[in-house]
Amino acid sequence: MAAALSAAERFARLRLARSENIGPVTFRDLLDHFGNAVAALDALPDLAARGGAKRAVRVAREGEAEAEIARTEKLGGHLLVLGDEAFPARLAALDPPPPVISLKGNLVLAAQKSIAIVGSRNASAAGRRIAGDMAEAFAHEGFIVVSGLARGIDTAAHRASLAGGTIAVLAGGLDIVYPEENRELQAEIAARGALVTEMPPGTSPQARHFPRRNRLISGLSLGVVVVEAALRSGSLITARFALEQGRDVFAVPGSPLDPRAQGSNKLIKDGAPLVENASDVIAALAEPLGHLFREPEPPSFAPRSGNAPDTDMDTRKRVLAALGPTPTPMDEIIRQSGAPVPQVRAVVLELELAGRIHRDPGDRVSLLPA
């Protein structure tokens, strides 16, 4: 069991997560190298300068972190950093884990067995009924229902599972209602279930926030059920994250004439189990739940050195030569550069802190325009 975080380390992890150009991958890499956020914070300016930053990287100030903690508590929420005892174990085991989450409501729900239900915002009446029936049945069987509080399928799933406990993952801060039509539902979930988000209070949902929300939806769950999803939809993004995380993905079939079912039907073509009701899903999960599934251990971080990662100009040149505007897998960058893995990852870390690259899904990296 990992040692409890000190107050100084908890505070430093929050500041590190809120500093410029720090995403989940960079946060994980920094802790993996330095072993603690206090040392990583001190190293940020030097790392960014080595990556070619044109100005000083913005490190979150102590006052900003204190204000976020106070505002979260005033809203009745709990701010959890990676390493906290109450941090949901399934989220801590993600690769990479979210550095910080805020949770309002019942903390215990995030540790219980749960199933996600996602689908179309522009759902049909039949789709909403199926989602509601499944959610109610899951709740009756002791599963927490997780979804994204969007209109349509998400709303139907949350409403039907309120009595048994439901988790809504938000794309904005705990104090932001989206969509506005779900204001009352969001308040009910906060009182009877739980709201979860990676975003600090006051953050309005933006397009780039929704994939992060979708990753938490699947990460909190043992499996994801897709009810009505178009070919290009957030629900399919959630399904992709679920598969990457080792979760089961299930799909409810729909009419081939309905564009809202094309994505879920494609999942079935690609191998996702076809399900018609909650019993189908529970039966498919029964063996893993009974015999194979174990709550993952949270990650631990041990310092490899007290200094910034070792890099040199030649390695930087070779890594930059392997990068381009098209997202490139890290394995390919390592192969093309011919440099040792730790040095390549160190250069990529410096470049990201300098704001010169973008992390893409699937451990891929792309070079940003100069």
Side-chain angles (χ1 to χ4, degrees):
M1 184 175 178
L5 296 178
S6 67
E9 177 63 14
R10 287 192 78 254
F11 193 66
R13 289 192 180 193
L14 174 59
R15 289 182 62 203
L16 184 64
R18 300 308 188 212
S19 294
E20 186 179 16
N21 297 331
I22 303 288
V25 175
T26 310
F27 182 92
R28 188 266 322 273
D29 288 350
L30 286 166
L31 285 191
D32 189 45
H33 179 81
F34 291 101
N36 64 81
V38 175
L41 271 176
D42 289 341
L44 285 186
D46 181 54
L47 291 173
R50 285 163 52 173
K54 296 179 180 178
R55 57 175 177 77
V57 66
R58 192 191 68 80
V59 178
R61 297 189 298 270
E62 291 185 3
E64 294 172 327
E66 290 167 350
E68 181 175 346
I69 293 170
R71 193 167 179 184
T72 301
E73 291 176 349
K74 186 175 181 180
L75 290 168
H78 307 271
L79 193 149
L80 303 173
V81 303
L82 183 65
D84 278 335
E85 184 178 356
F87 200 96
R90 282 191 285 271
L91 292 185
L94 297 183
D95 183 19
V100 178
I101 63 167
S102 295
L103 189 152
K104 183 177 181 179
N106 189 346
L107 277 170
V108 175
L109 295 184
Q112 297 182 14
K113 61 181 183 180
S114 54
I115 296 176
I117 299 178
V118 297
S120 175
R121 287 175 168 81
N122 182 32
S124 67
R128 293 194 300 271
R129 178 177 176 180
I130 291 169
D133 288 348
M134 294 181 81
E136 185 176 10
F138 287 141
H140 185 264
E141 293 297 326
F143 288 89
I144 304 303
V145 173
V146 182
S147 198
L149 201 62
R151 59 177 60 92
I153 296 300
D154 291 18
T155 295
H158 285 307
R159 289 194 187 283
S161 57
L162 265 173
T166 185
I167 297 175
V169 184
L170 311 179
L174 287 178
D175 55 340
I176 303 298
V177 176
Y178 183 84
E180 176 61 33
E181 66 199 60
N182 277 347
R183 176 174 292 276
E184 183 178 340
L185 177 59
Q186 184 166 324
E188 283 190 83
I189 294 173
R192 303 170 66 183
L195 305 174
V196 175
T197 181
E198 280 191 81
M199 302 302 150
T203 304
S204 296
Q206 299 180 30
R208 68 178 186 274
H209 297 157
F210 285 93
R212 293 182 70 164
R213 179 204 67 167
N214 296 342
R215 198 173 79 96
L216 293 196
I217 291 172
S218 57
L220 283 166
S221 310
L222 300 173
V224 174
V225 181
V226 180
V227 183
E228 291 188 346
L231 283 173
R232 290 183 174 273
S233 66
S235 300
L236 293 193
I237 294 174
T238 306
R240 175 172 58 79
F241 281 132
L243 293 173
E244 291 174 357
Q245 295 160 354
R247 276 43 169 177
D248 289 303
V249 174
F250 307 92
V252 176
S255 169
L257 300 178
D258 189 346
R260 291 172 294 194
Q262 289 179 352
S264 43
N265 287 348
K266 186 177 187 304
L267 286 174
I268 295 170
K269 291 179 184 178
D270 291 342
L274 183 158
V275 294
E276 297 176 316
N277 50 53
S279 297
D280 292 342
V281 177
I282 293 171
L285 289 174
E287 184 174 346
L289 284 173
H291 305 288
L292 302 177
F293 183 80
R294 292 184 303 169
E295 286 288 352
E297 289 292 326
S300 58
F301 300 97
R304 294 190 213 128
S305 73
N307 303 312
D310 294 327
T311 58
D312 56 63
M313 188 58 67
D314 181 60
T315 301
R316 290 191 190 96
K317 288 180 179 178
R318 284 188 281 166
V319 170
L320 281 168
L323 289 168
T326 301
T328 305
M330 277 294 298
D331 289 346
E332 181 64 16
I333 297 169
I334 293 166
R335 187 189 69 79
Q336 289 190 28
S337 68
V341 174
Q343 290 187 26
V344 174
R345 289 199 170 273
V347 171
V348 169
L349 176 61
E350 293 170 357
L351 292 171
E352 182 169 21
L353 290 172
R356 298 179 64 188
I357 63 168
H358 181 263
R359 297 272 192 176
D360 297 280
D363 200 24
R364 296 181 301 165
V365 181
S366 54
L367 194 63
L368 294 173

